[in-house]
Amino acid sequence: FLAVRGGADPRALEAAVRQAVRASDREIPIYDVATMAGRVSGSLSRPRFSTFLLGTFAGFALLLAAVGLYGLIAGSVGERTQEIGVRMALGAGRGQVLRLVVRQGMILAALGLLAGVLLAIWMTRWLASQLFSVGAADAAVFAAVALGADMAYIGTRFLATTEANVLDDYKQMIVDSSSDEVVYTSLFTGVKGN
């Protein structure tokens, strides 16, 4: 194994290095010539791929968790439709109902965040062996994970509450409609659209 450091382009030095090696001994085979950047990149290709794969699966897991949370929250908000209707009949606005549901969700999100951070801190030794160029207790990593999970959770709260506020007649109209009922018109913008 021979490493050469030069100020010029590394590929330009290859011919000079080959000549110097052949001048000292013609029997030494010269093969697999590469730059140091190429060697380092090659040695990190497997961990880089593993990290990419882990990130992709983590993204899918977050998406599946958000869809599952949406279904769970939509069901729980749907069960409270009568309570929401009574509150609105007594004068509560849509904003007040939305704040009520989101506030209750924030309490659960805060408890989940606390449990997740405590578990992550407890697992920092294992995390340190899995991360490259990032400390296991890096505040930016904890903040990014916490914000990502919380935003997914709170977003499902907003969607479920907004859906619950829609009138039942409108929901039924959407279910019963078909593509034949779409009206194309240019009356509003001058552009044909629906």
Side-chain angles (χ1 to χ4, degrees):
F1 187 73
L2 175 68
V4 177
R5 181 176 180 169
D9 178 27
R11 293 293 177 186
L13 291 175
E14 182 180 346
V17 170
R18 282 182 186 274
Q19 273 184 339
V21 170
R22 285 208 173 99
S24 73
D25 188 356
R26 288 193 168 279
E27 300 290 322
I28 297 176
I30 301 171
Y31 62 94
D32 198 20
V33 178
T35 63
M36 189 58 76
R39 296 263 182 225
V40 170
S41 178
S43 70
L44 292 177
S45 63
R46 176 168 268 146
R48 189 177 294 134
F49 178 71
S50 298
T51 303
F52 170 75
L53 206 56
L54 181 66
T56 301
F57 285 136
F60 282 133
L62 181 62
L63 178 67
L64 286 173
V67 169
L69 277 172
Y70 171 74
L72 182 69
I73 292 168
S76 70
V77 171
E79 289 177 359
R80 296 177 65 184
T81 302
Q82 289 180 343
E83 174 196 345
I84 292 171
V86 169
R87 287 180 183 273
M88 293 181 85
L90 293 174
R94 286 179 183 255
Q96 290 172 317
V97 171
L98 181 65
R99 278 191 297 278
L100 170 74
V101 174
V102 170
R103 186 178 334 112
Q104 291 171 347
M106 289 292 284
I107 292 169
L108 291 175
L111 291 173
L113 176 65
L114 178 66
V117 167
L118 291 175
L119 183 64
I121 289 171
W122 180 65
M123 293 185 64
T124 53
R125 280 209 171 102
W126 179 78
L127 286 172
S129 70
Q130 302 298 314
L131 300 174
F132 296 102
S133 300
V134 178
D138 193 357
V141 172
F142 280 119
V145 169
L147 284 175
D150 276 353
M151 290 304 123
Y153 180 76
I154 297 304
T156 59
R157 279 280 176 179
F158 278 108
L159 289 173
T161 306
T162 304
E163 185 178 293
N165 283 330
V166 174
L167 298 174
D168 287 335
D169 294 338
Y170 180 75
K171 290 179 189 176
Q172 192 59 45
M173 179 194 72
I174 296 295
V175 170
D176 293 339
S177 65
S178 69
S179 61
D180 297 334
E181 298 171 7
V182 175
V183 176
Y184 293 97
T185 181
S186 59
L187 294 176
F188 295 104
T189 61
V191 177
K192 201 99 161 128
N194 59 355

